[in-house]
C-alpha cells in the first residue's frame, strides 16, 4: 500500500478512543500494510498506531528488532488487532519520542514487563510477554488507541520534557 501522513498533536483524532475491530477483512489488511509502510519510513520509528494516520480502530504495529535498545530482546514485527494488556509488572522511566509530537521527547514511567493479548492479521489470537524496550513501545502504541499521548504521561513537565534537537 502506501506510507501515510502522520497526524500531529494537537489533531483531534489523536485524542479519540478507538473502536474495536469487529471483523478482520481486506480493509484491515490494507490498514496494517499502511501502518507498516509508515513505520518503516519514520525516522527511528519502532511503531505506529492507526489513529496516527487518521483511523480510529484498535490496530497498531511494533517492531523494535532494528533498534539498538530492542534488538536483543523482541518478538520481531508485531501486527496487533484489538490488543489488550492483561498483566504488567515493574516500572522504569525511559525517554520517549513520537512521530505525532516530533518536536519533543519526554521521560515517561512504564511497566517493564507486560503480557499482551491480541489478534494477528489472520485472526489468530496471540499472547506474548514483552519486556524492556519492546514493552515500552507496545504500551506507547496502545496508549494511542486510548487517545493518550506520551505528553499525558510525562513524569514531570518541569524536568521531564525536552525539545528535540534533530528530527527529520
Amino acid at each position: 500500500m502506501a506510507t501515510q501522513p502522520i497526524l500531529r498533536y494537537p489533531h483531534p483524532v489523536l485524542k479519540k478512543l478507538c473502536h474495536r475491530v469487529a471483523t478482520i477483512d481486506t480493509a484491515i489488511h490494507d490498514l496494517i500494510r499502511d501502518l507498516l509502510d509508515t513505520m518503516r519510513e519514520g525516522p527511528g520509528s519502532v511503531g505506529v498506531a492507526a489513529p496516527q494516520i487518521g483511523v480510529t480502530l484498535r490496530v497498531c504495529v511494533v517492531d523494535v528488532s532494528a533498534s539498538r535498545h530492542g534488538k536483543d530482546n523482541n518478538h520481531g514485527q508485531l501486527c496487533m488487532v484489538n490488543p489488550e494488556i492483561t498483566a504488567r509488572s515493574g516500572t522504569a522511566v525511559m525517554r520517549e519520542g513520537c512521530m505525532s509530537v516530533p518536536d519533543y521527547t519526554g521521560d515517561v514511567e512504564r511497566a517493564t514487563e507486560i503480557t499482551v493479548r491480541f489478534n494477528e492479521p489472520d485472526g489468530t489470537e496471540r499472547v506474548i510477554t514483552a519486556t524492556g524496550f519492546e514493552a515500552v513501545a507496545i504500551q506507547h502504541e496502545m496508549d494511542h488507541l486510548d487517545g493518550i499521548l506520551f505528553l499525558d504521561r510525562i513524569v514531570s513537565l518541569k524536568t521531564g520534557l525536552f525539545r528535540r534537537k534533530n528530527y527529520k
Side-chain angles (χ1 to χ4, degrees):
M1 300 298 337
T3 300
Q4 299 297 314
I6 293 287
L7 300 181
R8 291 184 173 196
Y9 176 80
H11 195 288
V13 169
L14 296 172
K15 299 302 285 180
K16 292 196 179 272
L17 184 63
C18 291
H19 305 282
R20 288 185 59 81
V21 172
T23 304
I24 299 175
D25 56 15
T26 303
I28 297 302
H29 292 155
D30 290 347
L31 171 61
I32 290 169
R33 278 192 291 275
D34 285 351
L35 290 169
L36 290 170
D37 289 345
T38 303
M39 176 180 68
R40 291 180 185 126
E41 287 297 315
S45 177
V46 295
V48 178
Q52 291 182 277
I53 62 170
V55 179
T56 55
L57 291 173
R58 299 189 73 79
V59 180
C60 61
V61 297
V62 171
D63 186 351
V64 300
S65 62
S67 166
R68 65 184 164 101
H69 300 294
K71 67 181 179 185
D72 296 328
N73 179 21
N74 67 78
H75 291 86
Q77 180 179 286
L78 298 170
C79 301
M80 299 185 285
V81 177
N82 297 327
E84 296 176 43
I85 294 175
T86 59
R88 60 181 83 218
S89 63
T91 59
V93 175
M94 290 186 68
R95 182 76 48 89
E96 293 187 18
C98 181
M99 291 192 293
S100 292
V101 189
D103 296 330
Y104 292 92
T105 62
D107 291 338
V108 176
E109 184 175 279
R110 303 266 188 198
T112 55
E113 180 175 309
I114 59 171
T115 301
V116 185
R117 178 179 53 226
F118 58 95
N119 290 103
E120 298 268 9
D122 67 0
T124 305
E125 184 176 289
R126 184 173 177 191
V127 178
I128 64 167
T129 297
T131 59
F133 184 63
E134 184 177 51
V136 169
I138 291 169
Q139 290 170 86
H140 177 105
E141 298 310 326
M142 288 183 63
D143 269 356
H144 280 295
L145 307 179
D146 293 324
I148 299 170
L149 298 172
F150 81 89
L151 297 173
D152 301 314
R153 294 194 184 273
I154 296 287
V155 293
S156 167
L157 287 176
K158 287 184 178 180
T159 62
L161 183 63
F162 307 94
R163 187 144 184 89
R164 189 184 295 267
K165 292 178 182 166
N166 294 320
Y167 194 87
K168 297 177 182 177

